[in-house]
Amino acid sequence: MGVLRRVLLKSKDTDSDVDDRIKLSDNHFTFPKRKYGTQQKQIGQGVSGFVHLYQNEKSNTFYAVKSFEKKNLKDIDEIKSINKEIDIHNRINNGPHIVKLIDSFKLKTNSKFFIIIIMQYLPLNLLDLYLKYGSLMPISYRLCFFKQIVLGIAFMHNQNIAHRDIKLENCCVDNNGNVKLIDFGSSTIGDIGYGMAGSPSYSSPEIHNSLKYNSIKCDIWSLGIVLINMFYASKQKWNTCRYDDEIFLYYQNNSSIDNAVRFLNKNDTNNVKEYTSQKTLIDDIILQLLSIDVNTRISIHNLLENKWFKETECCYPDNDLYKAYHNHSQFV
């Protein structure tokens, strides 16, 4: 019940409920530097926005500032999309393992118009750690990261919100090594999704091959790819889950861990004991997460209640008493 107490009851809202009701703070005509400091460098870029690092030198506080430039104020659909992202972020802002939304407002200058989102700054993401350390990081640490991701996604799903872009880059860590989910631009309210969303290598078969699909179940598939990354320090064998990818089709017809993971064993002498003791259990979870049939794909609830998942040691804040099993900060 400890995990389940950290998630709320499902919301009944759908995408159609989101409109221009999002209330941003009053317009700013200059960026509020006294509050959020000055721009230091660009740290991210999306389809329609940029993320910059800002520093308030007086308080030595850092912020991630996401900005969307609107050259045409009549671009209602795009503004609604940004409003929906802010709305979704507000709904889950107090959840476990969710990056904190601090502020959002409109910024108008003489010639330009922006929508600004101020967020907690996180120094790096799990892809950074994956590329730098890989199998050098203890498996127990990697599985702790994975469990934190699942707890964050479980919170979102219990708000009836699907992330739709789960990948290592969108799983950031703070200075203590706590995982925080970011980027809700592709997220949906409700379980119905349309069209391509997320990173192709993490996206489920139905996203690639169907016009309409269950967004919640698509998130489960992405968690399966993340677990391959975290446990095996490897990638899946296929490039995308499309019907023109021969390796994926082979997995579809012969679903096994040998046909799912690119590198099963890298002769990791540092983690032999952990690897051997956990491999069978984790392989079973991976195959349940990567079930082609969405009706047999494991649910987030059943994953939370899985014996292996429950027994996996995880660092997380609980009732304001922080529990730390691993020294993640040495890798941050």
Side-chain angles (χ1 to χ4, degrees):
M1 292 298 293
V3 169
L4 296 178
R5 280 199 299 267
R6 289 194 295 274
V7 294
L8 301 178
L9 296 175
K10 286 186 177 181
S11 165
K12 295 182 180 180
D13 290 340
T14 63
D15 278 345
S16 61
D17 297 322
V18 181
D19 52 26
D20 288 330
R21 61 188 169 83
I22 312 301
K23 301 299 181 183
L24 301 178
S25 60
D26 293 337
N27 294 337
H28 287 264
F29 296 98
T30 59
F31 187 85
K33 293 182 179 180
R34 292 184 63 182
K35 192 171 184 179
Y36 299 118
T38 56
Q39 185 181 123
Q40 303 299 307
K41 62 179 180 179
Q42 182 177 322
I43 56 176
Q45 181 176 351
V47 175
S48 58
F50 295 88
V51 183
H52 290 89
L53 172 65
Y54 275 68
Q55 179 184 11
N56 184 322
E57 294 185 357
K58 287 187 176 181
S59 62
N60 196 31
T61 305
F62 294 89
Y63 302 94
V65 178
K66 192 172 186 178
S67 60
F68 302 89
E69 181 181 353
K70 302 289 100 186
K71 296 181 178 179
N72 183 357
L73 294 181
K74 296 180 181 179
D75 192 354
I76 301 300
D77 288 340
E78 197 166 353
I79 292 178
K80 281 187 175 182
S81 177
I82 298 169
N83 281 340
K84 185 178 78 168
E85 178 179 348
I86 296 171
D87 179 38
I88 287 174
H89 205 154
N90 274 314
R91 292 173 188 235
I92 59 176
N93 202 34
N94 293 323
H97 308 295
I98 305 293
V99 64
K100 294 302 178 186
L101 173 64
I102 297 170
D103 196 3
S104 58
F105 52 84
K106 298 174 183 177
L107 175 62
K108 288 186 176 182
T109 66
N110 291 334
S111 59
K112 294 182 179 181
F113 168 72
F114 299 88
I115 293 178
I116 304 294
I117 302 175
I118 310 288
M119 294 172 290
Q120 167 191 16
Y121 171 64
L122 301 166
L124 75 169
N125 58 52
L126 288 185
L127 181 63
D128 299 327
L129 294 180
Y130 176 89
L131 295 175
K132 186 173 182 179
Y133 297 105
S135 61
L136 295 177
M137 184 179 295
I139 286 176
S140 62
Y141 285 39
R142 289 182 254 153
L143 294 180
C144 176
F145 283 140
F146 175 73
K147 188 167 182 175
Q148 292 182 57
I149 295 167
V150 172
L151 293 175
I153 294 300
F155 179 83
M156 293 186 65
H157 286 187
N158 277 275
Q159 303 305 305
N160 202 26
I161 293 172
H163 190 287
R164 284 212 310 171
D165 196 12
I166 302 168
K167 56 184 177 180
L168 294 184
E169 298 97 307
N170 285 341
C171 302
C172 290
V173 291
D174 63 20
N175 290 318
N176 294 317
N178 305 309
V179 172
K180 305 287 185 180
L181 299 174
I182 68 166
D183 198 348
F184 308 105
S186 297
S187 299
T188 60
I189 301 173
D191 60 4
I192 298 176
Y194 299 92
M196 186 62 203
S199 174
S201 61
Y202 287 83
S203 299
S204 65
E206 55 271 23
I207 281 184
H208 288 284
N209 301 303
S210 303
L211 293 176
K212 180 181 176 182
Y213 47 80
N214 186 307
S215 297
I216 297 289
K217 293 183 177 181
C218 292
D219 278 356
I220 300 298
W221 177 279
S222 300
L223 288 174
I225 303 299
V226 170
L227 185 51
I228 288 177
N229 295 157
M230 301 310 291
F231 180 66
Y232 283 104
S234 180
K235 296 182 179 180
Q236 74 281 7
K237 279 193 170 181
W238 53 85
N239 291 321
T240 59
C241 299
R242 289 164 48 102
Y243 291 142
D244 57 0
D245 188 313
E246 293 183 2
I247 299 176
F248 167 69
L249 289 179
Y250 191 76
Y251 172 78
Q252 179 177 255
N253 296 322
N254 306 273
S255 297
S256 69
I257 205 69
D258 290 328
N259 295 330
V261 182
R262 188 170 297 180
F263 301 111
L264 282 169
N265 190 346
K266 293 187 176 181
N267 298 316
D268 181 8
T269 58
N270 296 319
N271 294 288
V272 170
K273 186 176 180 180
E274 283 186 290
Y275 177 87
T276 304
S277 65
Q278 301 234 44
K279 175 175 166 48
T280 300
L281 293 171
I282 293 177
D283 286 352
D284 181 60
I285 294 294
I286 289 173
L287 294 177
Q288 291 185 64
L289 293 166
L290 297 182
S291 171
I292 303 293
D293 184 351
V294 296
N295 296 313
T296 61
R297 195 175 297 165
I298 190 172
S299 69
I300 200 76
H301 173 77
N302 287 339
L303 179 58
L304 292 174
E305 294 301 315
N306 180 273
K307 184 175 183 292
W308 165 81
F309 186 86
K310 283 184 172 181
E311 293 178 352
T312 297
E313 290 185 336
C314 176
C315 304
Y316 56 84
D318 188 12
N319 297 326
D320 298 324
L321 296 175
Y322 185 74
K323 296 182 180 180
Y325 295 99
H326 313 107
N327 183 20
H328 293 301
S329 59
Q330 66 180 299
F331 293 101
V332 177

